[in-house]
Amino acid sequence: MKSPASRFSRCFEGKNGFTLIEMAIVMIIIGVLSGGGAFVMGMLTERKARNESIDYLHQAREALISYASTQGMLPSADTDQDGTGDGAASGGFPYLDLKLKPTDFYKRALRYEVDSSLTTDLQTACSALKAGLAGAPDVVDGDGSTTAFPVAAILVSSGPMDADGDGNILDSITAGTHQGNNTTGVPNYIRFPPTETFDDLVLYIGEHELYSELCEYLALAVINSSASTVYVYNHTAGSNLGTLTAGDSGSYQILSGTQASVRDANNGGGSPVVSSPDTPIFVAGRGYTIDVP
Ligand SMILES: [Ca+2]
Ligand SMILES: [Ca+2]
Ligand SMILES: [Ca+2]
């Protein structure tokens, strides 16, 4: 004879032999597992998005350095969203000039700013790099530096969202030891680990790295043994290197590949004087000497 409890339990028995109570427990376990699974999947997707956007930033950075090596300058920023530079220092990443895809994992174009002295030609770029950059873009690197410093170029991915809720997908940090504004770059950009109110991803090209990639200087020595004053001229840069009176000599730092001449008039005027070797001449290698007998 069945007990009252057993009869009660069988009242709730499902067609496969499980009681409704057992089925409810199974459903709760499935719910917990599927909820946790969704959470884990969300985390993995977020990590994949972040890693792929960081990969894209590195591709863009490498492409910029390669472009500078072949073109002697960095590209200007894209201000009309067609992927090509428009002569501006600040705007979108000119992905077509670099032959890269237009957007990061978040389907957004990168922000790009370049020091304007680096977008003209090799002579101008290397002169600026040799002297040390002084203007925008500046960056505070949250890995250690609280003081902003100028960089050759900077790339900013917005990350997944407008984390600081200011209406722009790029973010700012306005309090604490490391501060910056990636929307304007004023007074500086900021590279910083993600927080609840900052999720941008930033890479930059430092001036010394670009200098070593781009600018090979050599010493051009000119010995004036003649009885006249001669003028040393840089044709590539369109500027004077120096003036040597009779019996004088000089040494000039010039970029490898520069065309130079020794002349009988200033500012590239007059004619080349007799020298060994004859000028104008393209100067390359580790060092060079021109003798004026
Ligand atoms: Ca454009
Ligand atoms: Ca953001
Ligand atoms: Ca924002």
Side-chain angles (χ1 to χ4, degrees):
M1 185 174 176
K2 289 186 170 69
S3 69
S6 173
R7 285 198 300 274
F8 177 79
S9 175
R10 286 189 63 78
C11 290
F12 294 94
E13 193 173 272
K15 64 181 180 180
N16 293 322
F18 291 109
T19 66
L20 290 180
I21 293 171
E22 288 167 338
M23 288 172 70
I25 291 171
V26 169
M27 291 301 289
I28 289 170
I29 291 172
I30 290 172
V32 168
L33 288 177
S34 61
F39 176 73
V40 171
M41 282 300 293
M43 275 184 57
L44 290 176
T45 303
E46 193 177 313
R47 179 167 297 182
K48 174 180 164 67
R50 194 166 181 84
N51 287 343
E52 291 203 7
S53 293
I54 290 171
D55 286 347
Y56 180 60
L57 279 167
H58 280 287
Q59 285 175 26
R61 185 180 184 282
E62 291 303 310
L64 283 171
I65 292 173
S66 175
Y67 181 100
S69 297
T70 56
Q71 304 297 316
M73 60 182 177
L74 285 167
S76 60
D78 177 20
T79 54
D80 58 6
Q81 291 85 51
D82 69 352
T84 60
D86 300 302
S90 166
F93 178 59
Y95 59 88
L96 269 184
D97 293 336
L98 280 305
K99 308 292 186 289
L100 286 181
K101 65 175 184 168
T103 58
D104 62 12
F105 188 88
Y106 306 108
K107 304 298 178 197
R108 300 190 195 99
L110 301 177
R111 178 167 170 74
Y112 168 67
E113 184 163 350
V114 58
D115 187 299
S116 56
S117 64
L118 305 177
T119 59
T120 308
D121 55 52
L122 182 67
Q123 299 281 334
T124 310
C126 289
S127 293
L129 290 167
K130 198 163 186 276
L133 300 177
D138 294 288
V139 68
V140 159
D141 192 326
D143 274 356
S145 167
T146 56
T147 304
F149 54 90
V151 293
I154 194 158
L155 292 160
V156 186
S157 163
S158 64
M161 64 178 83
D162 172 17
D164 63 356
D166 68 346
N168 191 299
I169 198 72
L170 300 169
D171 298 324
S172 305
I173 297 178
T174 55
T177 53
H178 298 76
Q179 298 186 20
N181 184 335
N182 287 342
T183 301
T184 62
V186 178
N188 58 264
Y189 293 92
I190 183 159
R191 193 172 81 95
F192 200 80
T195 69
E196 283 190 358
T197 55
F198 179 90
D199 64 7
D200 296 352
L201 303 164
V202 176
L203 279 186
Y204 57 81
I205 302 173
E207 63 178 46
H208 296 296
E209 180 183 4
L210 191 64
Y211 180 86
S212 69
E213 292 284 343
L214 208 57
C215 309
E216 185 187 355
Y217 278 88
L218 57 86
L220 170 67
V222 179
I223 302 168
N224 182 16
S225 303
S226 75
S228 306
T229 296
V230 298
Y231 305 88
V232 188
Y233 189 69
N234 181 337
H235 289 267
T236 308
S239 59
N240 292 311
L241 287 167
T243 301
L244 298 174
T245 55
D248 204 0
S249 62
S251 180
Y252 312 98
Q253 291 287 312
I254 61 172
L255 277 173
S256 182
T258 293
Q259 188 186 38
S261 68
V262 184
R263 313 182 72 83
D264 58 12
N266 206 4
N267 295 319
S271 305
V273 300
V274 174
S275 65
S276 177
D278 287 330
T279 66
I281 191 170
F282 285 97
V283 185
R286 297 185 64 83
Y288 216 84
T289 300
I290 297 173
D291 288 303
V292 180

